[in-house]
Amino acid sequence: MQKMMKADAEYTALDSYFAETGTRRILLVCGSSSRSLRIGAYFDALEERTGIRVIPFSEYEPNPEFASAVRGTELFRAAHCDLVAAIGGGSAMDVAKCIKLYAEAEQIDPKTKPAPNGIPLLVIPTTAGTGSEATRFSVIYENGTKLSIADDSILPSAVLFDPDALKTLPSYQRKATMFDALSHAVESCWSVRANAESTAFAHRAIEAVFAHKDGYLANTDAGNAGMLEAANLAGRAINITQTTAGHAMCYKLTKLYGISHGHAAALCNAVLFPHMLTHTDDCTDPRGAEHLQEALAGIAKAMGCDTQEQAAEKFAALLRETGLSAPAVCDPSELGILCGTVNPERLHNHPVRLDAAAIETLYRKILGTEQAV
């Protein structure tokens, strides 16, 4: 069972956790920005205070390549570490998950799934969006091509929630990660794999996003804590359902235009939501169009709206209010690139049929080359 901890001023929960697990050497996946955080100072002082050695690993990039995970795994082995930890957003946690997965594998290969190992994995999210701390998924790239690794063994063993770690989050990332959490929750609600448990998590996540968004965007302690909870609930929802077309369509937007993942997902879902309202006859969920209507109505209720149409507009209005606009199209060929890179497996999880013509129309609306309806 995953251990959930809340930070106090001295991080006493971490001291207890390391004592419980008998930890002596930690491979810490973290970016340079972690050094400016209170949690960074805790790890800097850990060896002197407790004798537990911390080996930092920062040789990874946003949307990390699998080669980064290979380097981290090799360092884990060479330093004889017994625990993997990550301080950061989705990229740090994705790399840490891969290191944990392959730490004792004979072959470090994304096409193979090694046997589970007992190495603990501790994560400390510094963004309130990805929900990666609650999932069995790792998103990694190989030569620019997205790979999705899914394995129950990479669900983190322990999570520390520290609102203080969100204090230095830049405004753009703050907005984008909030939309990542909201997109996860909304997509989970309408996913063909949604069930009562996932829907309960997703509804609570949506409610928490809207309850805490003002405080979170204003960088208050309560707002940061509330959005961490929202992101975690949304992560628990997609751990059951996985994501849908909004995420399938967003990855190349991120790569092609250099925008944040959450920003791209929000742009996609802002046009997918109203599209679905007018295309329920194309429902692919085996439970039928009536079930889809109920799922969309549930999203509206969680958002505090009377109708599905109001909910779709509320999503789009929040996107406009935060100033997360569509990227400028510099080359007409970009549309073809986007359309050609949608992962069909993600579309199988989407509740409304999307053919090539529909995907092109949606991308035109996302990029503002066609008026949205």
Side-chain angles (χ1 to χ4, degrees), residues 239-263:
N239 193 48
I240 297 170
T241 66
Q242 300 185 352
T243 52
T244 64
H247 273 64
M249 296 178 68
C250 85
Y251 287 105
K252 198 62 178 182
L253 284 170
T254 297
K255 282 286 189 179
L256 195 58
Y257 298 107
I259 61 176
S260 172
H261 168 74
H263 181 177

Side-chain angles (χ1 to χ4, degrees), residues 66-119:
F66 188 76
S68 299
V70 173
R71 289 192 295 271
T73 304
E74 291 171 346
L75 178 60
F76 180 91
R77 294 173 175 180
H80 304 289
C81 296
D82 49 30
L83 182 144
V84 183
I87 302 174
S91 295
M93 287 188 270
D94 286 339
V95 170
K97 286 177 175 181
C98 285
I99 294 170
K100 185 288 199 274
L101 183 65
Y102 292 101
E104 296 181 351
E106 292 184 8
Q107 186 176 11
I108 307 174
D109 185 338
K111 300 177 184 64
T112 65
K113 283 190 176 182
N117 60 58
I119 296 167

Side-chain angles (χ1 to χ4, degrees), residues 120-185:
L121 172 59
L122 163 72
V123 296
I124 304 164
T126 60
T127 67
T130 69
S132 184
E133 76 279 356
T135 75
R136 65 189 190 281
F137 309 121
S138 174
V139 176
I140 205 105
Y141 291 80
E142 189 173 38
N143 300 319
T145 300
K146 177 181 167 289
L147 304 172
S148 291
I149 295 173
D151 196 284
D152 288 340
S153 72
I154 61 174
L155 179 71
S157 316
V159 184
L160 179 77
F161 296 104
D162 182 14
D164 184 76
L166 273 62
K167 282 290 189 182
T168 60
L169 195 62
S171 176
Y172 171 70
Q173 291 299 331
R174 185 172 291 275
K175 296 171 184 177
T177 50
M178 177 183 74
F179 269 109
D180 196 14
L182 182 58
S183 293
H184 284 161

Side-chain angles (χ1 to χ4, degrees), residues 206-226:
I206 293 169
E207 291 165 358
V209 166
F210 283 96
H212 296 287
K213 67 179 180 64
D214 292 338
Y216 172 70
L217 293 175
N219 201 8
T220 68
D221 291 339
N224 288 338

Side-chain angles (χ1 to χ4, degrees), residues 188-209:
S188 182
C189 286
W190 64 45
S191 167
V192 300
R193 299 183 184 184
N195 60 24
E197 183 182 17
S198 67
T199 299
F201 285 141
H203 285 175
R204 287 170 58 195
I206 293 169
E207 291 165 358
V209 166

